[in-house]
Amino acid sequence: MNIAKEAKLTLSRLDVDSFLSGVKTPEKNAFRQRLESQFETLFALYLELYGHRYDFHFHLQTLVANLAAGYKARSASLKRKDKQRLQQPNWYRQENMLGMACYVDLFAGDLQKLQQRIPYLQQLGITYLHLMPLYLSPEGDSDGGYAVSDYRTVSPNLGSNQDLKNLADALSKAGISLVLDFVFNHTSDEHEWAKQAQQGNEEYQQYYYLFEDRSLPDAYEQNLREIFPQVRRGNFTWNEAAGKWVWTTFNSFQWDLNYSNPAVFNAITEEMLYLANMGCEALRLDALAFIWKQLGTNCENQPKAHSLIQAFNACLQVVAPSVVFKSEAIVHPDEVNKYIAPQECQLSYNPLLMALLWNSLATRKTRLLTQSMRKSFAINPQCAWVNYVRCHDDIGWTFDDAVAGQLGINGHDHRYFLNQFYVDRFEGSFAKGVAFQENPSNGDCRVCGSLASLAGLEKALASGDDAAINTAIDRILLLHSVILSIGGVPLLYSGDELGLLNDYSYEQDDTKVHDARWVHRIAVTEEDIANANNAGTVSNRIAQGLQHMIQIRQSNPVFGESNTQILDTGNQHIFAYARQGQGKGELLALVNFSEHEQTVMLNNLELDWVTQGTDLLTRTKPQVQSGQLRLSPLQVLWLARHSV
Ligand code: GLC
Ligand code: GLC
């Protein structure tokens, strides 16, 4: 079959004009043009996913009608933004980019109050704001909002849809891109579709994976992992109302959507376009690794998961091309990278860098970090990493066991060590974290805790030891220095810029006590912010140190679209990378993960300009003696060839 020819023929048979009635001619043409350029891709993917169905054409036609409806609903100002962004496709790779992720209620109270905090964000230099899910969700435990009952209604405790629109406008005026969650692997059991399914409506029962008895669930279960084994075993939940087993990868109230049904693809596309039309500029694809199920596999990272995301992306390119996708794949590093492509996810969290920064902090060694980044850091130049140190989730030790093996590190044992270290069961550890979802069957475990507590600040403050406090501050700044300079969008987690410590109050809340991730979901009060403005406080030192690095990043193009090369320094305590971009100067970053002074042989770096470089952080020349460059404990050097 000649796909190009059949796609053309199919498109010519669709009465696109009738879907666009009332739209002005120039806009109609813009839509048609984009549809024509994406249609072959979309057609091929849809055919691969649903071509075996007798009703294939009906669903395809419905999808195109949905795209036209989404386009009609898109505001004039967002359409202008689309045009603009098509002219500057690499906007997310610029040096001015700086992200923050926050919960609306914890950061500000509600959407209106958040709008009042825009000056604070601007002062920090934020250009990208990810608001944790703010949609209607079940009372009590809603997995922090990741159980969505209605994608089109803002949770009443946060405000109204109009508040969200106002906020999106205000952010846009302030030069801050709004990022929203696209929670499309599952809905809550209170979503209208799930309610219909529970009432026996067969059409909606096919929106989910429901089973009469245990035979298929048991067959699938052979190969599935458990995400929250401490809350509930297995991946299926018995639903009394429907009298069926339901596929629930995460919590029992989060029902996995059935994407083998094209009606689900189409319905979710409508929801996606609704979110795009609210004015966001990136959608975070939550739990995207899980969206396609295939018996006999672990049902993660299936080839058709990629086809689905590419199909969603093609739809977005037609209706809202200024919006990009961010992948949230917390899986094996090789699988993480497969989601990153201009036609799939333009942005991706970098869980490998995140986990290995923490690894290097614990071990004071950088070999695993260096080898792993050499293997996995390079991605398509039209895409960008979202580099982070902490987020709202736990830390999972997602490195490649094969890379570790080459260095003589046993992955299983090393993960055990890291868990012990960070939950303070290892003598001499500086960290104060909380164990998360220890699996009684296989001993797996993950770690929760705020950046400051994991980096040693909580213990240091408790002991009143000034040297330990200084060291903890150095660690916090060191971690941030890497995400700010290695290439990609640095993403701060709200509260970390102030060095906030673990909040144990969740232990007193019935709806939270079983989920230790709440220990690092911390309210940011006016007092916290004021405290950071008081010269000399710990929080002030962290905030100032961070500000300083942010200002350097944002005023120097080498931190933008340059290439990154991971270097081997020959000193196992030092992580190093060089960055270079056409006409943007050069940067050499050296990061000492040890609490002792370290030296690097200049010869190992194979860069001829190092001695002439200037450290952007201190505006001094590097200390070089007999061909060796010296770094003090936990020091970071940002050597630039052209000082700015
Ligand atoms: C994502 C979220 C996490 C949530 C899960 C289920 O991984 O980051 O917080 O529990 O998806 O939606
Ligand atoms: C697992 C999932 C990830 C999710 C996390 C929540 O790691 O892969 O998507 O965010 O669990 O704890």
Side-chain angles (χ1 to χ4, degrees), residues 14-23 27-28 31-32 34-35 42 60-74 79 269-270 273 277 315 318-320:
L14 294 172
D15 190 2
V16 176
D17 273 352
S18 74
F19 303 143
L20 289 168
S21 61
V23 178
E27 288 195 4
K28 221 183 242 182
F31 178 84
R32 273 199 150 278
R34 297 209 293 253
L35 181 63
L42 185 57
L60 182 62
Q61 180 170 341
T62 310
L63 178 65
V64 174
N66 290 351
L67 298 186
Y71 184 71
K72 274 167 96 168
R74 193 157 176 81
K79 284 177 180 157
T269 300
E270 289 188 80
L273 297 178
N277 286 345
C315 293
V318 175
V319 180

Coordinates of all heavy atoms in Angstrom, one line a residue, residues 14-23 27-28 31-32 34-35 42 60-74 79 269-270 273 277 315 318-320:
L14 N -12.5 13.7 2.9 CA -13.1 14.3 4.1 C -13.5 15.7 3.8 O -12.8 16.5 3.1 CB -12.0 14.3 5.2 CG -11.5 13.0 5.7 CD1 -10.3 13.2 6.7 CD2 -12.6 12.3 6.5
D15 N -14.7 16.0 4.2 CA -15.3 17.4 3.9 C -14.8 18.3 5.0 O -15.6 18.8 5.8 CB -16.8 17.3 3.8 CG -17.4 18.5 3.3 OD1 -16.6 19.5 2.9 OD2 -18.6 18.6 3.2
V16 N -13.5 18.7 4.9 CA -12.9 19.5 5.9 C -13.6 20.8 6.1 O -13.8 21.4 7.1 CB -11.4 19.7 5.7 CG1 -10.7 20.6 6.7 CG2 -10.7 18.3 5.7
D17 N -14.0 21.4 4.9 CA -14.6 22.7 4.9 C -15.8 22.8 5.8 O -16.1 23.7 6.5 CB -14.9 23.2 3.5 CG -13.7 23.9 2.8 OD1 -12.8 24.1 3.6 OD2 -13.8 24.2 1.6
S18 N -16.6 21.7 5.7 CA -17.8 21.7 6.5 C -17.5 21.7 8.0 O -18.3 22.2 8.8 CB -18.7 20.4 6.1 OG -18.1 19.3 6.7
F19 N -16.4 21.2 8.4 CA -16.0 21.2 9.8 C -15.6 22.6 10.2 O -15.5 22.9 11.4 CB -14.8 20.3 10.1 CG -15.0 18.9 9.8 CD1 -14.0 18.1 9.3 CD2 -16.2 18.2 9.9 CE1 -14.1 16.8 9.0 CE2 -16.4 16.9 9.6 CZ -15.4 16.2 9.1
L20 N -15.3 23.5 9.2 CA -14.7 24.8 9.5 C -15.7 25.9 9.3 O -15.3 27.1 9.1 CB -13.4 25.0 8.7 CG -12.2 24.2 9.1 CD1 -11.1 24.3 8.0 CD2 -11.6 24.6 10.4
S21 N -17.0 25.6 9.2 CA -17.9 26.6 8.8 C -17.8 27.8 9.8 O -17.6 27.5 11.0 CB -19.3 26.1 8.8 OG -19.6 25.6 10.1
G22 N -17.9 29.0 9.3 CA -17.8 30.1 10.2 C -16.4 30.7 10.4 O -16.2 31.7 10.9
V23 N -15.4 29.9 10.0 CA -14.0 30.3 10.2 C -13.6 31.2 9.0 O -13.9 30.9 7.8 CB -13.1 29.1 10.3 CG1 -11.6 29.5 10.4 CG2 -13.5 28.2 11.4
E27 N -7.7 32.0 8.1 CA -7.5 31.0 9.2 C -7.8 29.6 8.7 O -7.1 28.7 9.1 CB -8.4 31.4 10.4 CG -7.9 32.6 11.1 CD -8.6 32.8 12.4 OE1 -9.3 31.9 12.8 OE2 -8.3 33.8 13.1
K28 N -8.8 29.6 7.9 CA -9.2 28.3 7.3 C -8.0 27.7 6.5 O -7.6 26.5 6.6 CB -10.4 28.5 6.3 CG -11.4 27.4 6.4 CD -12.5 27.7 5.3 CE -13.8 28.0 5.9 NZ -14.9 28.2 5.0
F31 N -5.2 26.4 8.8 CA -5.6 25.1 9.3 C -5.4 24.0 8.2 O -4.8 23.0 8.5 CB -7.0 25.1 9.8 CG -7.5 23.7 10.3 CD1 -7.2 23.3 11.7 CD2 -8.2 22.8 9.5 CE1 -7.6 22.1 12.1 CE2 -8.6 21.6 10.0 CZ -8.3 21.2 11.3
R32 N -5.9 24.3 7.1 CA -5.8 23.3 6.0 C -4.4 23.0 5.6 O -4.0 21.8 5.5 CB -6.5 23.9 4.7 CG -8.0 23.7 4.6 CD -8.5 23.8 3.2 NE -9.6 23.0 2.9 CZ -9.6 21.7 2.6 NH1 -8.4 21.1 2.5 NH2 -10.7 21.0 2.3
R34 N -1.8 23.2 7.6 CA -1.1 22.4 8.6 C -1.7 21.0 8.6 O -1.0 20.0 8.8 CB -1.3 23.0 10.0 CG -0.6 24.4 10.0 CD -0.1 24.7 11.4 NE -1.3 24.9 12.4 CZ -1.6 26.1 12.8 NH1 -1.0 27.2 12.5 NH2 -2.6 26.2 13.7
L35 N -3.0 20.8 8.4 CA -3.6 19.5 8.3 C -2.9 18.7 7.1 O -2.6 17.5 7.3 CB -5.1 19.6 8.1 CG -5.8 18.3 8.1 CD1 -5.7 17.5 9.4 CD2 -7.3 18.5 7.8
L42 N -0.2 11.4 10.4 CA -1.3 11.0 11.3 C -2.0 9.8 10.7 O -2.3 8.8 11.5 CB -2.3 12.2 11.4 CG -3.4 12.1 12.3 CD1 -3.0 11.8 13.8 CD2 -4.3 13.3 12.4
L60 N -11.5 8.0 12.2 CA -10.5 9.0 11.6 C -11.3 10.3 11.2 O -10.8 11.4 11.5 CB -9.9 8.4 10.3 CG -8.8 9.3 9.7 CD1 -7.6 9.5 10.6 CD2 -8.3 8.6 8.4
Q61 N -12.4 10.1 10.7 CA -13.2 11.3 10.3 C -13.6 12.1 11.5 O -13.5 13.3 11.6 CB -14.4 10.8 9.5 CG -15.3 12.0 9.1 CD -16.4 11.5 8.1 OE1 -16.3 10.4 7.6 NE2 -17.4 12.3 8.0
T62 N -14.0 11.4 12.6 CA -14.4 12.1 13.8 C -13.2 12.8 14.4 O -13.3 14.0 14.9 CB -14.8 11.0 14.9 OG1 -15.8 10.2 14.3 CG2 -15.4 11.7 16.1
L63 N -12.0 12.2 14.3 CA -10.8 12.9 14.8 C -10.5 14.2 14.1 O -10.3 15.2 14.7 CB -9.6 11.9 14.6 CG -8.2 12.5 15.1 CD1 -8.2 12.8 16.6 CD2 -7.1 11.6 14.7
V64 N -10.6 14.2 12.7 CA -10.4 15.4 12.0 C -11.4 16.5 12.3 O -11.1 17.6 12.5 CB -10.3 15.1 10.5 CG1 -10.2 16.4 9.7 CG2 -9.2 14.2 10.2
A65 N -12.7 16.0 12.6 CA -13.7 17.0 13.0 C -13.3 17.6 14.4 O -13.5 18.8 14.6 CB -15.1 16.3 13.0
N66 N -12.8 16.7 15.2 CA -12.4 17.2 16.6 C -11.3 18.2 16.4 O -11.2 19.2 17.2 CB -11.9 16.0 17.4 CG -12.9 15.1 17.9 OD1 -14.1 15.4 17.7 ND2 -12.6 14.0 18.4
L67 N -10.3 18.0 15.5 CA -9.2 18.9 15.3 C -9.8 20.3 14.9 O -9.4 21.3 15.4 CB -8.2 18.4 14.3 CG -7.5 17.1 14.7 CD1 -6.4 16.8 13.6 CD2 -6.9 17.1 16.1
A68 N -10.7 20.2 13.9 CA -11.3 21.5 13.4 C -12.0 22.2 14.6 O -11.9 23.4 14.7 CB -12.2 21.2 12.3
A69 N -12.7 21.4 15.4 CA -13.4 22.1 16.5 C -12.4 22.7 17.5 O -12.7 23.8 18.0 CB -14.3 21.0 17.2
G70 N -11.3 22.0 17.8 CA -10.3 22.5 18.6 C -9.7 23.8 18.1 O -9.5 24.8 18.8
Y71 N -9.6 23.9 16.8 CA -9.0 25.0 16.1 C -10.0 26.2 16.2 O -9.6 27.4 16.5 CB -8.7 24.7 14.7 CG -8.0 25.8 13.9 CD1 -6.7 26.2 14.2 CD2 -8.7 26.5 12.9 CE1 -6.0 27.2 13.5 CE2 -8.0 27.6 12.2 CZ -6.7 27.9 12.5 OH -6.1 28.9 11.9
K72 N -11.2 25.9 16.0 CA -12.3 27.0 16.1 C -12.3 27.6 17.4 O -12.5 28.8 17.6 CB -13.6 26.4 15.7 CG -13.9 26.4 14.2 CD -15.1 25.5 13.9 CE -16.4 26.3 13.8 NZ -17.5 25.5 13.2
A73 N -12.1 26.8 18.5 CA -12.2 27.2 19.8 C -10.9 28.0 20.3 O -10.8 28.6 21.3 CB -12.4 26.1 20.8
R74 N -9.8 27.9 19.4 CA -8.6 28.5 19.9 C -8.6 30.0 19.7 O -9.1 30.5 18.7 CB -7.4 27.9 19.0 CG -6.0 28.2 19.6 CD -5.0 27.2 19.1 NE -3.7 27.5 19.5 CZ -3.2 27.2 20.7 NH1 -3.9 26.7 21.6 NH2 -1.9 27.5 21.0
K79 N -3.5 31.9 18.6 CA -3.1 31.6 17.2 C -1.9 32.5 16.7 O -1.1 32.1 16.0 CB -4.3 31.9 16.3 CG -5.3 30.7 16.3 CD -6.6 31.0 15.5 CE -7.5 29.8 15.6 NZ -8.9 30.2 15.3
T269 N -7.9 13.3 22.8 CA -7.4 14.4 22.0 C -8.3 15.6 22.2 O -7.7 16.7 22.3 CB -7.5 14.0 20.5 OG1 -6.7 12.8 20.3 CG2 -7.0 15.1 19.6
E270 N -9.6 15.5 22.3 CA -10.4 16.6 22.6 C -10.0 17.3 23.9 O -9.9 18.5 24.1 CB -11.9 16.2 22.7 CG -12.5 15.8 21.4 CD -14.0 15.7 21.5 OE1 -14.7 16.7 21.6 OE2 -14.4 14.5 21.7
L273 N -6.7 19.2 23.5 CA -6.9 20.4 22.8 C -7.5 21.5 23.7 O -7.2 22.7 23.7 CB -7.7 20.3 21.5 CG -7.0 19.3 20.5 CD1 -7.9 19.2 19.3 CD2 -5.6 19.9 20.1
N277 N -5.8 25.0 24.6 CA -6.5 26.2 24.4 C -6.7 27.1 25.7 O -7.1 28.2 25.6 CB -7.9 26.0 23.8 CG -7.8 25.6 22.3 OD1 -6.7 25.8 21.7 ND2 -8.8 25.0 21.7
C315 N -1.6 15.8 16.0 CA -2.8 16.5 16.2 C -2.5 17.9 16.7 O -3.1 18.9 16.3 CB -3.7 15.8 17.2 SG -4.3 14.2 16.6
V318 N -1.3 20.4 14.2 CA -2.3 21.0 13.3 C -3.0 22.1 14.1 O -3.2 23.2 13.5 CB -3.3 19.9 12.9 CG1 -4.5 20.5 12.1 CG2 -2.6 18.8 12.1
V319 N -3.4 21.9 15.3 CA -4.3 22.8 16.0 C -3.5 23.9 16.8 O -3.9 25.1 16.8 CB -5.2 22.1 17.0 CG1 -6.2 23.0 17.7 CG2 -6.0 21.0 16.2
A320 N -2.5 23.5 17.5 CA -1.8 24.4 18.5 C -0.3 24.2 18.4 O 0.3 23.7 19.3 CB -2.3 24.1 19.9

